[in-house]
């Protein structure tokens, strides 16, 4: 069966999609996700649904609208002209729904309710979670939903009230704040160095084995290829993971050499920074929807997060690189392991 477009029927002669009785927002939302992801499979993964469930909902949505929204072939999923018309209508529905949510939020009790914060897994686990007690003590009626994942959250689509990213978000309708900079380095455990030695150059590094985290926001595959041109992952990697905490503790226990932010010295494992220049800083960005920023509880969270990454207080987030061995000279505050929620290793040395 071919669509009207495939049969050469002019657009003006094709029946218009019927959106008058559209009531299934969930199906419309799934349709929009397929369009944005470019395939049924990618949309299913993002929505945590089976691919068959996504296909069924799209079939239902096509019956509701009375038109073919996608064509499918061996090359993938393609939006029809009628489908493009439906996209515009559904995006207006989405924007209206978000406006309703934000309006209801702004009229609620100013300093109670829930604030959803999306952040990368490493920063969420090692930096924010140990320190959120400060925010909770100041605002005991605000529930913080801290979502730690390496997939960037889109605040314009209400996936979070506030999101922290390791690359600048491309959405045009959000507010952005550059929080600071994360400086990445090569690290190895004391026990690894005792057994294999410490490399001092990229050429020496190739003789060792690496443990790396591969995740969306890190672009690790591209970074690996640029740092080790012509070298296969199989020749260097002994382990790879998608989770910062697993990556850290594998390296801390001597599995291999890893890449971590300069603040990794404070996380509790006996890690030594290697003098192999990596020179790959990552800017840290905060995003929020302008409407959400007017909700008092969200505004307080935004202000707290900006201060939590203040480079003037925390040298590991400065624009310029500060070596971990210099932290004690440039940071005046509580012990670093306590600050990061790590485990003190003083008595073990």
């Amino acid at each position: 069966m071919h669509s009207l477009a495939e049969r050469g029927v002019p657009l003006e002669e094709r029946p218009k999609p019927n959106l008058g009785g559209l009531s299934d927002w969930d199906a419309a939302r799934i349709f929009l996700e397929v369009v944005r992801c470019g395939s049924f499979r990618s949309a299913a993964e993002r929505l945590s649904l089976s691919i068959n469930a996504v296909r069924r909902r799209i079939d239902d949505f096509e019956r509701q609208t009375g038109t073919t929204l996608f064509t499918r072939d061996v090359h993938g999923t393609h939006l029809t002209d009628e489908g493009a018309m439906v996209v515009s209508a559904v995006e207006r529905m989405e924007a209206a729904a978000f406006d309703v949510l934000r309006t209801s939020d702004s009229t609620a009790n100013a300093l109670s309710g829930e604030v959803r914060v999306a952040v990368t897994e490493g920063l969420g686990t090692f930096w924010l979670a140990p320190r959120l007690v400060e925010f909770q003590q100041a605002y005991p009626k605000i529930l913080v939903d801290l979502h730690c994942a390496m997939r960037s959250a889109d605040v314009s689509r209400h996936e979070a009230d506030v999101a922290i990213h390791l690359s600048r978000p491309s959405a045009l309708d959000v507010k952005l704040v550059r929080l600071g900079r994360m400086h990445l380095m090569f690290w190895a455990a004391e026990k690894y160095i005792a057994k294999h030695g410490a490399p001092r150059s990229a050429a020496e590094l190739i003789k060792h084995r690496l443990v790396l985290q591969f995740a969306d926001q890190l672009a690790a595959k591209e970074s690996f290829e640029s740092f080790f041109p012509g070298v296969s992952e199989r020749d260097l990697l002994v382990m790879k993971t998608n989770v910062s905490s697993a990556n850290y503790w594998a390296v801390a226990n001597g599995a291999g050499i890893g890449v971590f932010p300069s603040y990794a010295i404070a996380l509790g494992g006996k890690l030594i920074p290697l003098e192999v220049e990596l020179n790959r800083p990552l800017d840290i960005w905060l995003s929020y929807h302008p409407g959400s920023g007017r909700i008092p509880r969200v505004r307080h969270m935004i202000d707290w997060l900006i201060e939590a990454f203040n480079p003037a207080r925390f040298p590991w987030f400065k624009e310029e690189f500060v070596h971990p061995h210099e932290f004690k000279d440039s940071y005046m505050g509580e012990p670093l392991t306590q600050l990061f929620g790590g485990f003190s290793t003083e008595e073990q040395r």
Side-chain angles (χ1 to χ4, degrees):
M1 180 177 178
H2 297 285
S3 69
L4 295 174
E6 292 171 316
R7 297 204 300 268
V9 178
L11 181 61
E12 63 271 12
E13 296 180 14
R14 300 174 209 166
K16 297 293 189 292
N18 176 24
L19 300 177
L22 188 59
S23 59
D24 189 352
W25 164 243
D26 194 50
R29 178 179 63 89
I30 291 173
F31 161 72
L32 207 53
E33 201 64 54
V34 173
V35 172
R36 287 166 171 165
C37 291
S39 73
F40 282 62
R41 186 173 302 280
S42 296
E45 291 175 356
R46 189 173 177 97
L47 295 166
S48 299
L49 296 173
S50 71
I51 191 169
N52 288 333
V54 171
R55 286 193 174 115
R56 283 196 300 271
R57 298 313 302 274
I58 294 301
D59 289 342
D60 292 342
F61 195 56
E62 287 184 327
R63 282 192 290 272
Q64 287 184 54
T65 58
T67 190
T68 300
L69 303 174
F70 296 103
T71 58
R72 295 98 157 170
D73 57 32
V74 293
H75 301 294
T77 301
H78 309 281
L79 195 66
T80 64
D81 291 334
E82 295 85 357
M85 295 170 61
V86 175
V87 169
S88 298
V90 173
E91 286 181 333
R92 290 194 296 272
M93 291 171 60
E94 180 186 53
F98 292 165
D99 284 343
V100 170
L101 286 172
R102 294 183 185 108
T103 300
S104 62
D105 276 343
S106 63
T107 59
N109 189 343
L111 294 180
S112 66
E114 183 174 327
V115 178
R116 292 170 298 159
V117 179
V119 62
T120 57
E121 189 260 340
L123 282 173
T125 300
F126 293 122
W127 181 241
L128 290 185
R131 307 185 66 247
L132 270 171
V133 64
E134 301 171 7
F135 184 85
Q136 292 168 333
Q137 288 173 344
Y139 308 104
K141 294 184 179 180
I142 297 179
L143 168 64
V144 179
D145 179 359
L146 186 66
H147 184 75
C148 302
M150 290 307 297
R151 181 182 68 80
S152 189
D154 188 344
V155 294
S156 67
R157 292 164 59 190
H158 216 63
E159 292 180 348
D161 297 309
V162 186
I164 294 173
H165 320 259
L166 295 182
S167 60
R168 183 184 178 121
S170 57
L172 299 177
D173 56 345
V174 301
K175 294 286 189 180
L176 295 177
V177 179
R178 187 171 175 274
L179 296 176
R181 176 166 281 190
M182 179 188 293
H183 299 271
L184 299 180
M185 304 177 65
F186 287 105
W187 297 76
E190 290 180 355
K191 61 175 70 175
Y192 180 91
I193 293 175
K195 185 174 182 180
H196 301 284
R200 296 186 175 275
S201 67
E204 291 184 18
L205 200 58
I206 293 177
K207 301 174 185 177
H208 291 259
R209 289 294 179 264
L210 271 62
V211 178
L212 291 182
Q213 179 188 4
F214 283 74
D216 291 348
Q217 291 201 56
L218 293 177
K221 183 175 178 63
E222 294 81 358
S223 298
F224 179 92
E225 292 172 351
S226 65
F227 198 84
F228 302 106
V231 179
S232 168
E233 289 180 16
R234 290 181 177 273
D235 294 335
L236 272 182
L237 297 185
V238 69
M239 174 182 169
K240 58 183 180 180
T241 178
N242 65 325
V243 180
S244 302
S245 50
N247 187 39
Y248 178 83
W249 289 112
V251 174
N253 282 284
I257 293 172
V259 176
F260 303 110
S262 56
Y263 61 67
I265 199 168
L267 300 186
K270 293 184 178 181
L271 286 187
I272 306 296
L274 302 179
E275 301 308 317
V276 179
E277 187 176 356
L278 180 57
N279 192 27
R280 185 169 173 261
L282 296 173
D283 288 337
I284 307 170
W285 292 89
L286 179 146
S287 69
Y288 61 95
H289 189 279
S292 297
R294 292 190 291 270
I295 301 170
R297 65 174 179 274
V298 178
R299 183 72 251 176
H300 279 77
M301 173 56 75
I302 292 168
D303 294 340
W304 183 83
L305 287 169
I306 292 172
E307 183 58 25
F309 286 88
N310 185 350
R313 290 182 61 197
F314 309 116
W316 41 90
F317 294 132
K318 281 189 173 183
E319 183 81 14
E320 67 278 8
F321 171 70
V322 178
H323 197 283
H325 292 158
E326 299 172 4
F327 285 172
K328 289 184 179 179
D329 297 328
S330 55
Y331 169 70
M332 302 297 174
E334 59 188 297
L336 291 182
T337 50
Q338 182 177 337
L339 187 70
F340 280 87
F343 299 94
S344 175
T345 56
E346 295 299 319
E347 68 279 2
Q348 300 173 16
R349 294 186 180 275

